[in-house]
Amino acid sequence: MSNDNLFSKAEIKYLIKNKDIVIGSFGLAAIILATMNYGILYLIPGIILTIAALGMRGYKIYKIYERNKKIERTRIKYNFKKIKTMDGYQFEKFVADSLKLIGYKTELTKKSGDFGIDVIAKIENKVIGIQVKHYKGKVGYDAVKEVHSGGKIYKCNEYWVVT
C-alpha cells in the first residue's frame, strides 16, 4: 500500500490552524504572478488575500495580547502569597479563574450539597469535576472517593482533586 498523501496529518492540522499563512501565500503568489506579466487580474485578488491574511494574523496576535493581559490581571489580583490567607471558597474561585485563563470554561457549584464537586471545568470534549481542598497537610482518600462519585452526578469524564 503506497502513501500518496501530499501532506502528513500533522502538516494538515498545522495548515488548518494557520489558515492565514495559507491565504497570505496565495495572495503573495497572485501578486508575484501579476508583476511577472501573467495578467493584472491576479493583482486585485492577490492584494485582497494578502490583506485578509494580515488581518487574520493581527486578530490572533490581539487575542494572545488580551489573554496575556488577563493572566497579568489575575496574577496581580491573587498574588500567590495570598493563597495561604484565602478561605475555602476564595481558593475554589482562584482555581476556577486560573483554569479560565488557560482556556477552560468553568463554573462553581453551590457551597453546600455539591456532591464533592466544587468546580466544573470544560474544554473540548472533556468535562472535569474538581474538588478543591485548601489544606496544608495531606488530602485523604475520601476526597478522591467524593470527587469520583460527585463527578458521575455531574456527568464528568475526568476527576481532579486540587490542593
Side-chain angles (χ1 to χ4, degrees), residues 88-89 91-93 95-96 99 107-121 127-135 138-152 154 156 158-163:
Y89 184 75
F91 189 59
E92 289 173 14
K93 182 131 179 53
V95 169
L99 288 169
E107 64 181 86
L108 292 168
T109 59
K110 55 188 177 179
K111 288 186 180 182
S112 62
D114 60 12
F115 303 103
I117 300 293
D118 301 311
V119 178
I120 298 172
V127 180
I128 304 153
I130 304 169
Q131 184 172 84
V132 179
K133 295 291 186 187
H134 194 251
Y135 289 172
K138 294 180 181 179
V139 174
Y141 181 67
D142 288 342
V144 176
K145 287 193 301 188
E146 287 174 16
V147 75
H148 189 267
S149 61
K152 299 249 185 239
Y154 286 102
C156 301
E158 283 189 27
Y159 317 103
W160 296 358
V161 177
V162 175
T163 61

Side-chain angles (χ1 to χ4, degrees), residues 36-118:
M36 293 175 59
N37 294 329
Y38 278 93
I40 197 72
L41 291 176
Y42 284 105
L43 187 60
I44 295 169
I47 291 171
I48 292 170
L49 289 172
T50 303
I51 290 172
L54 289 171
M56 291 168 72
R57 180 55 63 164
Y59 181 72
K60 280 184 180 179
I61 292 169
Y62 169 74
K63 294 303 273 183
I64 291 168
Y65 167 76
E66 284 295 315
R67 181 174 169 264
N68 289 341
K69 204 162 76 170
K70 268 187 190 177
I71 290 170
E72 192 57 35
R73 276 197 308 260
T74 301
R75 281 187 185 143
I76 291 167
K77 180 179 175 183
Y78 285 112
N79 189 346
F80 281 97
K81 293 176 185 173
K82 292 181 181 178
I83 290 175
K84 291 179 183 177
T85 62
M86 289 180 185
D87 64 23
Y89 184 75
Q90 289 171 326
F91 189 59
E92 289 173 14
K93 182 131 179 53
F94 168 73
V95 169
D97 288 347
S98 299
L99 288 169
K100 274 184 189 173
L101 289 175
I102 57 173
Y104 288 83
K105 292 181 182 177
T106 62
E107 64 181 86
L108 292 168
T109 59
K110 55 188 177 179
K111 288 186 180 182
S112 62
D114 60 12
F115 303 103
I117 300 293
D118 301 311

Side-chain angles (χ1 to χ4, degrees), residues 8-61:
S8 70
K9 287 183 181 181
E11 291 168 332
I12 291 170
K13 280 185 181 180
Y14 176 81
L15 291 173
I16 289 171
K17 185 177 179 183
N18 295 290
K19 295 178 192 90
D20 55 327
I21 294 173
V22 176
I23 292 170
S25 300
F26 279 110
L28 290 175
I31 291 170
I32 291 168
L33 288 173
T35 59
M36 293 175 59
N37 294 329
Y38 278 93
I40 197 72
L41 291 176
Y42 284 105
L43 187 60
I44 295 169
I47 291 171
I48 292 170
L49 289 172
T50 303
I51 290 172
L54 289 171
M56 291 168 72
R57 180 55 63 164
Y59 181 72
K60 280 184 180 179
I61 292 169

